[in-house]
Amino acid sequence: MFALFYIGTAFLTSYATSPTGMQLSRPVVLTTGIIASVFVAAATMASGILSDRFGRKKVIAASCIFAVPWSLVLFPLLSTGTVLAFGIGLTVTLVIFAIAYGPAGALLPELFETRYRYTGAGMGYNLAGVLGGGIVPLLAAQLITSTGGWGIGVLLAAIGVFSIACTVALPNTEKSGLEERPSEPLTEEGTTAV
């Protein structure tokens, strides 16, 4: 769901101040971003707590499910051109991301055996940021000129559907301790014992 984060923080900030976008003043847009970040912080903490109670996959899947319809209404909402519409659009977009982001810090390490945990979690997180999030604003800039906001909404909704499928495919790991994961013993030289 990095796509929502980068659309919210990078693309919408530019779109809101653009002469061909919402034409809002830069101070208003930046102030709105600061206010939205308070909601993002609260949603991140709350979703992390909820993921301990209900499961990481369920909380992340809920975020992805919310993202699909929201993606389709985001740009029609922004087309009204008001500061309130921008505030709601930015805040809800980033809060949906935050709901998935809260449990991610626990989920990613749980997916890997101890000896691969740091590398696996780090690579998964960073590749998701670059491929899942960093490319989307570039595509959005192209789509806004050819299809308007509708094309971006469809792109984000499709990413949401793909994210739901990926989340459902993940193993349930939160009920097992990290020390219970199978791992091959290492020799003194750091190679796998045969």
Side-chain angles (χ1 to χ4, degrees):
M1 296 311 306
F2 274 109
L4 290 177
F5 177 75
Y6 286 107
I7 284 292
T9 58
F11 183 78
L12 288 184
T13 301
S14 174
Y15 176 75
T17 58
S18 168
T20 58
M22 297 182 71
Q23 301 177 4
L24 300 176
S25 73
R26 206 155 180 76
V28 166
V29 170
L30 295 176
T31 302
T32 305
I34 291 168
I35 295 167
S37 69
V38 173
F39 290 96
V40 170
T44 302
M45 289 186 287
S47 66
I49 292 167
L50 290 172
S51 75
D52 286 339
R53 181 177 178 140
F54 299 109
R56 297 171 213 326
K57 281 179 57 172
K58 288 179 184 173
V59 173
I60 292 171
S63 170
C64 299
I65 290 167
F66 294 148
V68 174
W70 176 252
S71 298
L72 298 174
V73 300
L74 174 60
F75 281 89
L77 173 68
L78 295 176
S79 70
T80 63
T82 66
V83 173
L84 179 62
F86 177 72
I88 293 170
L90 179 64
T91 302
V92 173
T93 299
L94 293 178
V95 164
I96 291 172
F97 159 77
I99 293 169
Y101 191 68
L107 176 70
L108 286 173
E110 290 175 349
L111 294 174
F112 300 96
E113 293 179 17
T114 303
R115 60 192 260 182
Y116 305 115
R117 188 162 294 134
Y118 187 78
T119 302
M123 284 183 65
Y125 179 86
N126 287 297
L127 286 174
V130 171
L131 300 176
I135 294 173
V136 175
L138 298 174
L139 294 173
Q142 298 301 316
L143 288 172
I144 198 76
T145 58
S146 60
T147 65
W150 181 84
I152 299 169
V154 170
L155 172 66
L156 292 174
I159 291 169
V161 170
F162 180 71
S163 297
I164 294 167
C166 291
T167 303
V168 169
L170 289 173
N172 283 320
T173 58
E174 66 267 2
K175 298 296 182 193
S176 62
L178 294 177
E179 67 281 348
E180 296 173 13
R181 303 291 157 70
S183 180
E184 297 176 14
L186 297 178
T187 63
E188 289 180 23
E189 293 82 29
T191 59
T192 305
V194 181

